[in-house]
């Protein structure tokens, strides 16, 4: 694939109980946490072989069906779009976890196998026994972040961003991460907001064979990018809104990740505001758009207290700090106005 210019900085010899989370959040930069999950049973099993790792997963599975993506050999492990970006090149299926694992194993030696990809499955809902010996236990750091698991063969998760902070642990197989700061969004050529291969807009550039004539600004993105290859037991911290392209490098790959937000749960995802702004602001005359930019800078992107600091506290309402009770009032107001 096209290479990024720099390596992701590394934090050596990490341990789950000694994660430098405050430092990572304050820096706002990706970091590889070498060896943080080295003692997980799943990691050790994977080092013995694919069958041993699959046995750990089978033993933790509660028998409930799972949802996964399937694509034929022609998609080359890249869940993506059809030629006109109106539909995805994969189909979503529902079945037994052991059937997915059996299919991956049966095609492990194929040079161009079909794609099986079980993505973002909450561990506690389908593999409740897994966390006992395979967990970073972020609760000890005061963080509520239920782990999700990702299981597949040589799958590429096209470059995308997540709204939350993320620690992704490479449990089985190796993975290559290529990351870009949020200001590179225009150089990454995001695709449709819906449908999407994984819930977020993805870059439409093929990182393995970039078409620089069609996507010339991608060269600028690469110059700003960072890359790292994670071995089993390694993890990577990805700050919120950093774009990341993830490639599974082995015939069988398992990743466990933890998402969490730095804001209270009563503050919803900003992507909802983005959708509303596309609807209400984008297509207005340019003069109006620039005026609305000033309004948003004043109320939203400036100092949080600026818009209400000249008002008595009782009069500030939404111009002051938003707590759970006020969040419920705002939600009810918006629903009422949108339903008119």
């Amino acid at each position: 694939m096209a290479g990024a210019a720099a390596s992701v900085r590394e934090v050596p010899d990490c341990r789950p109980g000694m994660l430098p989370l405050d430092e990572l959040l304050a820096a706002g930069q990706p970091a590889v946490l070498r060896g943080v999950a080295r003692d997980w049973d799943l990691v050790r099993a994977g080092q013995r072989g694919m069958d041993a790792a699959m046995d750990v997963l089978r033993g933790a599975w509660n028998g409930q069906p799972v949802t996964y993506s399937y694509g034929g050999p022609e998609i080359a492990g890249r869940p993506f779009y059809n030629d006109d970006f109106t539909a995805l090149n994969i189909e979503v299926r529902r079945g037994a976890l052991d059937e997915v694992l059996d299919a991956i194993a049966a095609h492990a030696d194929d040079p161009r196998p079909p794609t099986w990809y079980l993505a973002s499955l909450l561990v506690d809902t389908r593999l409740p026994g897994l966390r006992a010996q395979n967990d970073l236990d972020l609760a000890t750091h005061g963080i509520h972040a239920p782990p999700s698991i990702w299981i597949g063969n040589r799958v590429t998760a096209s470059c995308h961003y997540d709204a939350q902070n993320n620690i992704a642990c490479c449990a089985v197989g190796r993975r290559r991460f290529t990351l870009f700061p949020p200001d590179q969004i225009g150089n990454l050529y995001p695709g449709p907001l819906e449908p999407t291969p994984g819930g977020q807009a993805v870059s439409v550039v093929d990182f393995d064979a970039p078409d620089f004539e069609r996507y010339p600004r991608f060269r600028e993105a690469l110059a700003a990018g960072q890359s790292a290859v994670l071995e089993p037991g390694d993890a990577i911290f990805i700050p919120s809104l950093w774009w990341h392209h993830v490639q599974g490098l082995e015939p069988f790959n398992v990743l466990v990740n933890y998402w969490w937000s730095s804001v209270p749960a009563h503050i919803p995802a900003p992507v909802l505001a983005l959708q509303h702004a596309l609807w209400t602001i984008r297509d207005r005359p340019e003069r109006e758009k620039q005026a609305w930019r000033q309004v948003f800078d004043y109320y939203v992107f400036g100092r949080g207290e600026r818009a209400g600091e000249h008002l008595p506290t009782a009069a500030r309402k939404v111009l002051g700090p938003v707590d759970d009770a006020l969040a419920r009032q705002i939600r009810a107001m918006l629903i009422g106005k949108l339903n008119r």
Side-chain angles (χ1 to χ4, degrees):
M1 66 168 287
S7 297
V8 179
R9 77 178 182 98
E10 298 190 5
V11 179
D13 197 32
C14 283
R15 293 290 177 178
M18 301 175 63
L19 292 174
L21 294 181
D22 291 341
E23 172 195 327
L24 293 173
L25 290 170
Q29 294 284 324
V32 173
L33 312 176
R34 292 292 183 194
V36 70
R38 67 169 72 92
D39 295 329
W40 286 10
D41 283 357
L42 181 57
V43 172
R44 290 177 171 174
Q47 291 169 342
R48 296 195 299 272
M50 178 179 65
D51 290 343
M54 288 185 174
D55 285 344
V56 171
L57 296 174
R58 288 190 177 96
W61 180 45
N62 62 8
Q64 297 296 310
V66 297
T67 300
Y68 62 95
S69 298
Y70 170 82
E74 68 278 2
I75 77 168
R78 186 188 181 208
F80 197 62
Y81 293 94
N82 60 5
D83 291 340
D84 64 2
F85 296 94
T86 59
L88 302 178
N89 65 357
I90 53 174
E91 58 182 88
V92 177
R93 296 180 173 181
R94 190 169 174 83
L97 175 61
D98 53 8
E99 293 175 357
V100 177
L101 297 176
D102 289 345
I104 292 173
H107 292 268
D109 296 327
D110 291 7
R112 197 175 177 85
T115 294
W116 288 272
Y117 192 37
L118 194 161
S120 190
L121 175 69
L122 280 172
V123 169
D124 292 343
T125 66
R126 294 294 185 269
L127 297 102
L130 192 66
R131 288 183 75 178
Q133 302 297 326
N134 305 276
D135 191 19
L136 290 186
D137 194 16
L138 294 187
T140 61
H141 298 271
I143 291 174
H144 177 66
S148 298
I149 195 166
W150 309 68
I151 301 169
N153 45 4
R154 285 192 178 93
V155 178
T156 294
S158 293
C159 195
H160 64 284
Y161 71 87
D162 297 313
Q164 296 180 307
N165 301 304
N166 185 7
I167 292 181
C169 303
C170 188
V172 181
R174 297 177 304 133
R175 268 183 163 83
R176 177 184 291 114
F177 284 76
T178 308
L179 304 102
F180 305 90
D183 64 7
Q184 292 302 306
I185 182 171
N187 297 329
L188 290 168
Y189 298 90
L193 292 181
E194 56 181 49
T196 66
Q200 298 282 10
V202 303
S203 170
V204 300
V205 180
D206 182 349
F207 279 38
D208 287 329
D211 183 344
F212 290 112
E213 290 189 6
R214 188 174 182 182
Y215 308 116
R217 296 192 307 275
F218 185 60
R219 293 186 187 277
E220 297 179 46
L222 288 175
Q226 303 178 29
S227 65
V229 173
L230 267 60
E231 302 289 335
D234 293 340
I236 187 167
F237 167 70
I238 306 173
S240 64
L241 297 173
W242 272 70
W243 290 75
H244 46 289
H245 185 81
V246 188
Q247 293 175 294
L249 302 178
E250 307 295 344
F252 180 56
N253 299 276
V254 181
L255 180 140
V256 175
N257 87 296
Y258 303 81
W259 281 307
W260 79 98
S261 176
S262 300
V263 299
H266 63 259
I267 297 180
V271 70
L272 301 175
L274 173 63
Q275 296 273 8
H276 199 196
L278 288 171
W279 176 29
T280 60
I281 298 176
R282 183 195 58 196
D283 297 329
R284 292 183 179 275
E286 187 62 27
R287 183 196 63 78
E288 289 187 31
K289 287 174 63 175
Q290 293 307 315
W292 277 109
R293 181 192 295 271
Q294 297 302 317
V295 172
F296 272 72
D297 281 345
Y298 179 75
Y299 283 105
V300 178
F301 296 109
R303 289 185 295 111
E305 66 278 8
R306 178 175 65 171
E309 62 187 0
H310 58 284
L311 299 172
T313 300
R316 292 175 186 174
K317 298 182 180 179
V318 74
L319 299 180
V322 177
D323 57 17
D324 185 65
L326 183 54
R328 292 175 184 273
Q329 295 176 30
I330 297 169
R331 176 183 172 86
M333 179 271 293
L334 289 173
I335 291 173
K337 290 184 179 294
L338 289 172
N339 283 339
R340 287 179 181 174

